[in-house]
Amino acid sequence: MNNQYIELYDKCRQMIREHSADVMNAVRDKAYDDFKRLGIPTKKLERYKYTDMTKLFEPDYGVNLNRLDIPVNPYNAFRCDVPNLSTSLYFVVNDAFYSKNEPKAPLPEGVVIGSLKAEAERNPHLVGKYYSTLAKTDNDGITALNTMLAQDGLLVYVPKNTVVDRAVQVINILRSDVDLMVNRRVLIVVEEGAEIKLLFCDHAADDRNFLATQVIEAFVGRNASLDLYCLEETHEKNVRVSNLYIDQEADSRVNHNIITLHNGVTRNRTDLTFSGEGAECVLNGCVIADKNQIVDNNTLIDHKVGHCNSRELYKYVLDGNATGAFAGRVLVRHGAQKTISEERNQNICATREARMFTQPMLEIYADDVKCSHGSTVGQLNDAALFYMRQRGISQKEAKLLLEFAFINEVIDTMKLEPLRDRLHHLVEKRFRGELSKCEGCKLCK
């Protein structure tokens, strides 16, 4: 199975390089060597023990290495606006930034949102300073594979002391007439004192088998702020494998929310490192899954320095034969005194067939810290269901209300009020079984 990707690179190495930028090509061969050594991770590895990655990467997918044009104009076909949320809207089609139409809303001076390949050609010094420095290829086979094959993606650059008031919405669309593998790369640089809010939405426009690998590197400078919201609404034939790497400097703030409403198999990895004191982060996740869907979230928060705060809350509601997994490790290193960390994972299995694997972990090498962690797995409260039934509420409606209240704790922490309101609506529709595609979307009639 690993050989098919090794042979693909051997055969198409020149084509891959010709359709990418020198900055991305500079690390490509090392990633190839690392992938040959590491391969696709197996369940024998601690961080991959809950999902069989080899099975996901085994099928023979098409790969658009020659960068054939995809016949779609997402600005005309796609409507995924959140009411009352004024956003600058951008699209990534498969793994290429869509640059044929530009958003009408202007950005502050110096802010760059565009094709990673194009910006790497225009400004190789900027992109080369950051690209593939957080996402190391020598210790993760998925990151190595993505770095080996990725040819384009998205660059978000916010210069020093610049505040982007308008939220930036990026729609990732999977579009193909054949089964397809895409390898998307995202680089986010928020310099000292800068602020930005990003909303990434993943959608599948065609009823095809998709395999999407994604590697995001996010650099958050001193006293900078990054709000990152990731919403997945794809379909049951979609496999998403996303690795997010975040580095925070002193006094910076990161608020990351990941929401899985519709999917096939999803595996999200988040590695966050505190490199400067006084920084804080919030990692939140909510998952709604049924049928045979699989959602696996794996996180690492590395407190390399002291006086940093981290909070983590992931909630799952699993129905049908769905499988969920959460493994969250908080590492407090020697000398990282005055660390404050809280980690919670709470889960509901609505059927006997649903399965949840949970493993919150604390690893502490400092003695002046306040750290806690915990997890719960249970079913809906029978007493609460009985109470609601006694007051004339149907069994189905009572179940929905309890699930809705359970998941809302995560949604209510989100800072973007219009997005919060929209998610309340989408989550309710999801629990009612009414949400199969975005309202107003012409792509997937």
Side-chain angles (χ1 to χ4, degrees):
M1 180 266 303
N2 293 320
N3 287 337
Q4 67 179 326
Y5 296 104
I6 294 171
E7 291 171 3
L8 174 68
Y9 187 77
D10 284 336
K11 181 180 179 181
C12 303
R13 184 190 309 244
Q14 190 59 34
M15 180 190 299
I16 294 170
R17 298 175 70 89
E18 286 176 356
H19 292 280
S20 192
D22 290 344
V23 169
M24 301 178 74
N25 291 334
V27 296
R28 204 177 296 281
D29 285 347
K30 181 184 182 302
Y32 167 68
D33 291 336
D34 288 333
F35 179 76
K36 284 200 297 184
R37 176 174 53 86
L38 296 168
I40 300 297
T42 68
K43 296 182 75 172
K44 294 180 180 179
L45 295 176
E46 178 67 24
R47 295 200 71 172
Y48 287 92
K49 66 181 182 181
Y50 295 121
T51 302
D52 187 355
M53 305 300 291
T54 57
K55 182 179 178 181
L56 302 180
F57 282 81
E58 195 172 46
D60 185 14
Y61 292 93
V63 187
N64 187 16
L65 299 179
N66 205 27
R67 316 312 288 169
L68 300 176
D69 189 45
I70 305 298
V72 61
N73 184 343
Y75 282 94
N76 291 334
F78 200 83
R79 297 291 181 270
C80 194
D81 297 309
V82 179
N84 304 317
L85 178 62
S86 179
T87 65
S88 298
L89 184 62
Y90 298 84
F91 289 89
V92 174
V93 179
N94 295 333
D95 49 14
F97 182 80
Y98 187 84
S99 56
K100 294 181 180 179
N101 289 331
E102 295 294 331
K104 297 178 181 178
L107 294 168
E109 183 178 357
V111 175
V112 177
I113 298 176
S115 163
L116 181 60
K117 171 183 177 291
E119 295 300 331
E121 291 171 339
R122 277 193 287 264
N123 195 345
H125 175 72
L126 171 65
V127 177
K129 179 181 177 181
Y130 297 102
Y131 184 77
S132 197
T133 58
L134 278 184
K136 303 293 186 182
T137 61
D138 56 4
N139 62 11
D140 184 80
I142 301 298
T143 299
L145 179 64
N146 178 278
T147 306
M148 181 175 91
L149 297 177
Q151 295 169 283
D152 194 9
L154 175 72
L155 171 68
V156 177
Y157 171 70
V158 188
K160 184 177 179 179
N161 296 326
T162 301
V163 177
V164 183
D165 291 322
R166 182 190 296 267
V168 174
Q169 186 176 11
V170 179
I171 310 294
N172 297 314
I173 296 178
L174 295 171
R175 168 77 177 89
S176 179
D177 295 328
V178 299
D179 295 350
L180 187 70
M181 176 186 187
V182 303
N183 300 283
R184 186 186 308 121
R185 198 66 179 227
V186 180
L187 177 60
I188 302 169
V189 180
V190 188
E191 290 189 342
E192 179 180 348
E195 297 181 15
I196 190 169
K197 299 178 181 66
L198 295 170
L199 170 59
F200 291 167
C201 301
D202 282 18
H203 300 274
D206 292 297
D207 187 24
R208 293 290 180 177
N209 294 306
F210 290 103
L211 169 61
T213 76
Q214 175 176 265
V215 172
I216 304 175
E217 296 177 281
F219 298 82
V220 187
R222 180 182 292 270
N223 199 35
S225 177
L226 170 64
D227 285 8
L228 178 59
Y229 303 87
C230 298
L231 172 63
E232 181 180 4
E233 292 182 87
T234 54
H235 57 51
E236 296 171 23
K237 295 182 179 180
N238 187 67
V239 176
R240 165 192 158 103
V241 183
S242 177
N243 289 357
L244 166 63
Y245 300 89
I246 303 174
D247 182 78
Q248 289 190 242
E249 295 185 15
D251 301 312
S252 62
R253 299 164 300 282
V254 166
N255 181 22
H256 178 231
N257 295 268
I258 189 162
I259 307 103
T260 306
L261 292 185
H262 266 295
N263 74 308
V265 180
T266 298
R267 207 277 177 172
N268 298 313
R269 167 177 173 166
T270 302
D271 287 15
L272 184 145
T273 301
F274 289 115
S275 297
E277 294 189 351
E280 60 182 39
C281 78
V282 176
L283 302 185
N284 287 333
C286 70
V287 173
I288 302 171
D290 56 11
K291 300 175 183 176
N292 294 299
Q293 295 165 349
I294 299 172
V295 184
D296 180 352
N297 284 296
N298 190 293
T299 69
L300 167 63
I301 300 177
D302 186 352
H303 287 262
K304 291 179 65 175
V305 298
H307 298 273
C308 293
N309 298 345
S310 66
R311 287 187 291 120
E312 193 170 5
L313 173 63
Y314 278 74
K315 286 195 166 189
Y316 291 61
V317 176
L318 305 175
D319 212 329
N321 294 294
T323 300
F326 171 81
R329 179 182 173 213
V330 177
L331 172 61
V332 183
R333 295 183 182 266
H334 290 284
Q337 307 293 358
K338 304 297 182 182
T339 289
I340 299 176
S341 178
E342 179 188 4
E343 179 185 35
R344 284 193 293 147
N345 172 227
Q346 297 175 322
N347 313 283
I348 288 178
C349 292
T351 65
R352 291 183 178 274
E353 292 75 26
R355 293 289 180 268
M356 182 69 202
F357 302 92
T358 177
Q359 187 181 22
M361 295 169 279
L362 277 177
E363 192 172 341
I364 302 174
Y365 299 98
D367 54 11
D368 188 6
V369 301
K370 294 181 180 178
C371 298
S372 64
H373 72 305
S375 67
T376 60
V377 180
Q379 296 181 325
L380 293 173
N381 189 304
D382 288 337
L385 282 172
F386 179 77
Y387 177 86
M388 297 170 77
R389 292 294 307 280
Q390 290 294 98
R391 279 145 185 81
I393 300 174
S394 69
Q395 176 81 12
K396 181 179 179 181
E397 192 70 16
K399 176 176 177 287
L400 183 147
L401 290 172
L402 290 177
E403 291 174 336
F404 192 49
F406 176 80
I407 215 76
N408 271 353
E409 183 182 359
V410 177
I411 297 175
D412 288 340
T413 65
M414 297 181 185
K415 295 180 180 179
L416 285 175
E417 184 177 348
L419 176 61
R420 215 165 48 227
D421 294 341
R422 180 62 172 164
L423 284 173
H424 284 312
H425 172 69
L426 291 177
V427 167
E428 181 179 354
K429 292 193 72 174
R430 177 68 172 91
F431 282 133
R432 293 186 184 278
E434 299 171 0
L435 182 62
S436 59
K437 66 182 182 69
C438 285
E439 292 179 280
C441 174
K442 301 175 184 178
L443 285 173
C444 44
K445 288 182 179 179

